Amino acid sequence: MLGPQGSGKGTQAERLCAFFGAPHIEIGEMIRAEIAAGTELGHDLQRYNDRGELVPDAIVLGAVKPLVAQARSWILDGFPRTMAQAETLDALLTGENADLDGVIGLEAPDDVLIARLAGRRYSEATGKLYHLTANPPPPDDPGPFVQRADDTPENIKRRLQIYHTETEPLMTYYAERGLLHRVNAAASVDDVYGAILTALLAID
Ligand code: AMP
């Protein structure tokens, strides 16, 4: 799943994983869990996270490689985010005689994303992300619901800038290989999900 912050990667990936019965590999969540555990690595990661910057490729790749190698199918959410990560993923898959089935490219204008991120809330109990109006927490999630530390206006701006320079070029990279399915992420959660499912189910 490719897409900027606030495009709904996590929300959509969760639904898709339930539908396809595939594991959800979510790097941002792994990073937040490490920070919450208070490990030495978590301490280092917090510095990047709090500034809204990407974690160095070597750390991310070390965490992702075994997960990708472990299962035959998965939904990758928030990875790859740099060309180096995409190239390493390709090398890893080639080594396993595997390939990506498809890449979903979620697209929405920055002003829509900024408005969405402002209403985003994180459950301290379950680690799940919700939106106050578009995707409110279900009754079985006790919360409390807090704003993510990296969802400050200043960080949001920086993260979107980094997205445009570091990650957006991957859309072209996958489009050139015929793998990219662009989806309008400014639509409702249900409509975005419908568009993604239609694209994925049409793949041979
Ligand atoms: P997310 O929940 O996907 O918005 O990720 C939260 C934070 O984790 C990002 O702002 C980065 O600091 C870090 N992160 C997540 N995925 C990656 C990645 N593929 N490469 C580098 N840093 C990442």
Side-chain angles (χ1 to χ4, degrees):
M1 310 273 304
L2 273 184
Q5 293 73 11
S7 60
K9 289 188 301 294
T11 304
Q12 298 296 341
E14 231 167 72
R15 285 194 181 195
L16 293 167
C17 287
F19 182 87
F20 288 106
H24 182 185
I25 302 184
E26 189 188 1
I27 312 311
E29 186 47 42
M30 288 162 67
I31 289 172
R32 283 187 288 283
E34 194 72 34
I35 293 173
T39 62
E40 203 173 310
L41 174 62
H43 241 80
D44 290 343
L45 295 175
Q46 184 152 25
R47 292 206 322 262
Y48 297 98
N49 199 68
D50 285 357
R51 289 196 299 248
E53 288 171 6
L54 291 180
V55 166
D57 286 338
I59 298 179
V60 171
L61 290 167
V64 174
K65 274 183 186 174
L67 296 174
V68 166
Q70 224 169 54
R72 287 205 55 77
S73 68
W74 22 249
I75 294 189
L76 277 176
D77 163 12
F79 176 90
R81 263 182 161 133
T82 64
M83 198 54 88
Q85 290 178 10
E87 284 167 356
T88 306
L89 176 63
D90 283 342
L92 193 65
L93 293 178
T94 305
E96 304 262 326
N97 239 339
D99 201 1
L100 294 170
D101 290 324
V103 176
I104 300 297
L106 295 174
E107 298 180 311
D110 279 8
D111 55 345
V112 170
L113 301 170
I114 290 166
R116 273 196 193 159
L117 290 166
R120 188 152 90 161
R121 295 295 180 273
Y122 173 71
S123 167
E124 284 189 339
T126 63
K128 293 201 169 142
L129 280 175
Y130 301 104
H131 187 278
L132 291 176
T133 51
N135 182 28
D140 61 347
D141 189 331
F145 305 100
V146 296
Q147 204 151 19
R148 249 170 61 173
D150 56 344
D151 275 350
T152 61
E154 193 184 307
N155 265 351
I156 289 170
K157 248 176 91 183
R158 183 174 309 123
R159 286 159 65 211
L160 286 175
Q161 267 166 10
I162 294 172
Y163 174 78
H164 290 307
T165 54
E166 300 281 336
T167 311
E168 208 166 22
L170 300 184
M171 294 266 192
T172 312
Y173 180 74
Y174 289 120
E176 281 170 356
R177 284 167 50 189
L179 288 172
L180 184 71
H181 305 271
R182 293 179 193 271
V183 171
N184 171 22
S188 71
V189 173
D190 286 344
D191 286 351
V192 174
Y193 181 61
I196 297 174
L197 257 194
T198 304
L200 291 181
L201 293 175
I203 295 172
D204 286 336

